[in-house]
Amino acid sequence: MKTKRLLSLDIMRGMTIVCMIIVNNGGGPQSYRHLGHSAWNGITVCDLVFPFFLFIMGVTTYISLAKTGFAPSSVSLRKIFRRTVLIMLIGWAIHWFANVCYGMGWLDFGHLRLTGVLTRIALCYGVVSLMALFMSRRAMGVTAAALLTVYGAVLLLFNGYENDLSNVNAVVDRFLLSEGFLYTKRPVDPEGILGTIPAIAHTVIGFCCGALLMRKESLEVRLLKLFVVAALLLVGGFILSGILPENKRIWSPSYVLITCGMAAALLAAISYFTDVKGYRKGMAFFESFGVNPLFLYVLGDIAGIILGATHARQVIYDWILGWSVVPELASAIYAVSLMLVCGLVALPLYRRRIYIKI
């Protein structure tokens, strides 16, 4: 099954990677409010980055598997398994590298964070890909709805909105893993085990939107339908937030619907201007990040760890602060500068059509 590549997918994916690098690499202790995650309930701009990536991953998973007609074969299963394990191992290797750089032993695996962004990406990709091979689109949609419903009920019944160790997410994480394998800066791990369940549903929504985008209709009609889906998700999410407030750290059901709605609307808007109207000026920068997303995300993480461990980050931040009277601005300038350095790698790869697949 041949599918036409949509430039908008690479652009939006690139935007999310650019934002990921920026929000992960503040130079100082103070950042602009929207460059930090919400303290608990609520959504900041920073809280949109990861869910947008999972949504786009769902869309591209549909497009990728559609090329083989969603046929479960030994080749496709090996590819899914290999990619899932590889992404997970890379995530763990980054945590190990950070531990070593900050003074822990080379063989100290007792403080290796097993949860994290790449772990969640790997699990969502692997589970949704297998669902796509063995379930109908309708069954996937029903399953996603069921997952969000059950998870929402669990949050309400078992302290899911308490920002302490009594939270069901924290309880499950500490029951299944020792504390050394978890994020411990706050009571609730933002990429914990239980929260991966709604994240899988989140990715399924992206997958279903990918199915809508690939229908045999004019692109304008498909984008109009995507806008309608986005509106329905947003309305449903805001209504649900009256019972289950939007919360990134526990990946609440309302957070899933609202961020998926925003992601669908943004994708439809970008696609209209780039794929329909052909307005592509200035988009090559984001596209360059979008064609090598995970490689550049990892590059940004590794660069940030090295700069922090060698105290170069502090030196650079202090220098920027010397001519910027606002600490938040100095922190933002540092983060944007690191992202632009990654861009010096992204653009040559893009121009030479070198795609590093993970």
Side-chain angles (χ1 to χ4, degrees):
M1 178 180 176
K2 293 184 178 180
T3 56
K4 182 181 178 181
R5 188 178 186 89
L6 296 176
L7 177 63
S8 53
L9 291 173
D10 289 332
I11 292 173
M12 183 170 168
R13 184 166 48 196
M15 288 177 174
T16 64
I17 295 300
V18 165
C19 291
M20 276 183 167
I21 294 172
I22 291 173
V23 301
N24 285 348
N25 291 284
Q30 293 176 272
S31 298
Y32 287 114
R33 184 170 66 88
H34 289 296
L35 289 180
H37 293 293
S38 57
W40 190 240
N41 291 339
I43 297 177
T44 68
V45 173
C46 181
D47 294 325
L48 299 178
V49 179
F50 191 15
F52 277 23
F53 184 87
L54 286 186
F55 177 88
I56 285 293
M57 186 175 73
V59 174
T60 55
T61 297
Y62 177 90
I63 294 173
S64 175
L65 295 177
K67 295 175 183 177
T68 58
F70 302 99
S73 64
S74 58
V75 174
S76 59
L77 290 172
R78 279 198 304 270
K79 179 180 178 182
I80 292 168
F81 179 76
R82 184 194 67 81
R83 190 163 190 250
T84 299
V85 172
L86 181 58
I87 294 173
M88 200 174 297
L89 289 176
I90 290 173
W92 295 343
I94 291 174
H95 293 307
W96 171 83
F97 180 71
N99 288 345
V100 171
C101 287
Y102 283 98
M104 293 186 182
W106 287 79
L107 299 178
D108 182 2
F109 297 109
H111 297 88
L112 179 66
R113 187 184 175 198
L114 299 183
T115 58
V117 170
L118 288 179
T119 299
R120 179 162 288 184
I121 287 174
L123 292 173
C124 289
Y125 164 76
V127 172
V128 173
S129 295
L130 292 175
M131 289 172 68
L133 294 183
F134 295 101
M135 298 173 67
S136 68
R137 306 295 86 79
R138 175 183 287 275
M140 289 180 69
V142 171
T143 301
L147 290 176
L148 292 178
T149 301
V150 172
Y151 181 68
V154 169
L155 292 179
L156 291 175
L157 293 172
F158 301 103
N159 293 335
Y161 278 93
E162 295 300 320
N163 191 11
D164 56 38
L165 292 179
S166 72
N167 188 297
V168 63
N169 286 272
V171 171
V172 170
D173 285 341
R174 282 161 176 77
F175 177 76
L176 296 175
L177 297 173
S178 69
E179 193 164 331
F181 295 138
L182 298 168
Y183 181 88
T184 55
K185 293 180 181 179
R186 292 181 179 85
V188 180
D189 190 325
E191 285 85 38
I193 297 169
L194 193 61
T196 301
I197 293 174
I200 289 170
H202 188 118
T203 310
V204 170
I205 294 174
F207 181 92
C208 293
C209 288
L212 188 156
L213 272 177
M214 293 298 108
R215 285 183 176 179
K216 293 181 179 180
E217 300 171 319
S218 70
L219 183 55
E220 291 91 337
V221 171
R222 284 177 275 159
L223 293 180
L224 179 59
K225 290 182 178 180
L226 187 57
F227 270 120
V228 172
V229 170
L232 293 173
L233 289 169
L234 285 168
V235 170
F238 283 120
I239 291 174
L240 185 60
S241 66
I243 304 173
L244 296 162
E246 60 273 23
N247 186 307
K248 189 264 181 188
R249 297 190 185 279
I250 60 174
W251 216 273
S252 67
S254 61
Y255 175 76
V256 170
L257 297 181
I258 290 171
T259 55
C260 279
M262 290 181 175
L266 179 60
L267 177 59
I270 294 173
S271 186
Y272 177 76
F273 286 107
T274 58
D275 299 312
V276 176
K277 294 297 183 180
Y279 300 142
R280 303 181 179 184
K281 188 176 181 180
M283 291 294 106
F285 179 77
F286 294 114
E287 191 181 358
S288 69
F289 278 82
V291 295
N292 283 306
L294 292 179
F295 168 74
L296 292 166
Y297 174 81
V298 171
L299 177 65
D301 261 12
I302 295 296
I305 291 168
I306 293 173
L307 289 170
T310 59
H311 305 291
R313 177 178 64 190
Q314 188 64 45
V315 172
I316 297 170
Y317 170 74
D318 289 341
W319 177 75
I320 297 172
L321 190 61
W323 51 268
S324 170
V325 295
V326 183
E328 292 86 353
L329 180 59
S331 183
I333 290 173
Y334 172 89
V336 171
S337 298
L338 179 57
M339 178 274 295
L340 291 175
V341 170
C342 292
L344 295 177
V345 177
L347 283 169
L349 292 176
Y350 167 72
R351 288 168 180 161
R352 297 175 184 177
R353 299 180 183 274
I354 298 174
Y355 307 129
I356 302 173
K357 295 185 178 181
I358 296 177

